[in-house]
Amino acid sequence: QVQMVESGGGLVQAGGSLRLSCAASGRTFNSYAMGWFRQAPGKEREFVAAISWSGSTTNYANSVKGRFTISRDNAKNTVYLQMNSLKPEDTAVYYCALKWGIPNMRAHEYNYWGQGTQVTVSS
């Protein structure tokens, strides 16, 4: 019974930056991990990044490592994805997700999902 609300998507030129936000509301409790996934048309959903409750553990897909940064503000029940040096291949619908326990890259283990926000990177 958790709702996820995403914002921050849009159109940006290659090399630019975007900051995505996702606020969780409802019965969230403590000790949950949050993550970001993305899906381009005709492709499977792809892991992007995840973060533990404390923020001490983060995981990134190799394709975004060094360019994207995941963070969270537990007081606001919000996870962020700072995306720098964007490339056209980053174009996708980005989804935030929540799971109980430790973070991982397996989409099927996440319990709650946002509706997705479109990120389009032009060349």
Side-chain angles (χ1 to χ4, degrees), residues 36-40 44-49 61 63 89 105:
W36 289 94
F37 295 78
R38 66 187 183 186
Q39 187 169 23
E44 296 182 348
R45 188 168 298 181
E46 176 189 27
F47 170 77
V48 177
S63 59
E89 50 263 46
M105 65 180 183

Side-chain angles (χ1 to χ4, degrees), residues 77-122:
N77 289 327
T78 299
V79 63
Y80 305 94
L81 186 68
Q82 178 67 46
M83 305 184 295
N84 298 327
S85 301
L86 283 162
K87 305 174 181 179
E89 50 263 46
D90 295 318
T91 296
V93 177
Y94 284 70
Y95 299 89
C96 65
L98 180 152
K99 72 181 294 292
W100 310 116
I102 61 174
N104 60 39
M105 65 180 183
R106 297 185 289 274
H108 64 89
E109 294 190 15
Y110 284 75
N111 302 96
Y112 299 98
W113 293 81
Q115 78 287 349
T117 184
Q118 177 70 47
V119 172
T120 302
V121 184
S122 62

Side-chain angles (χ1 to χ4, degrees), residues 50-66:
I51 187 169
S52 64
W53 166 258
S54 68
S56 62
T57 300
T58 57
N59 298 284
Y60 296 94
N62 289 334
S63 59
V64 306
K65 193 173 299 181

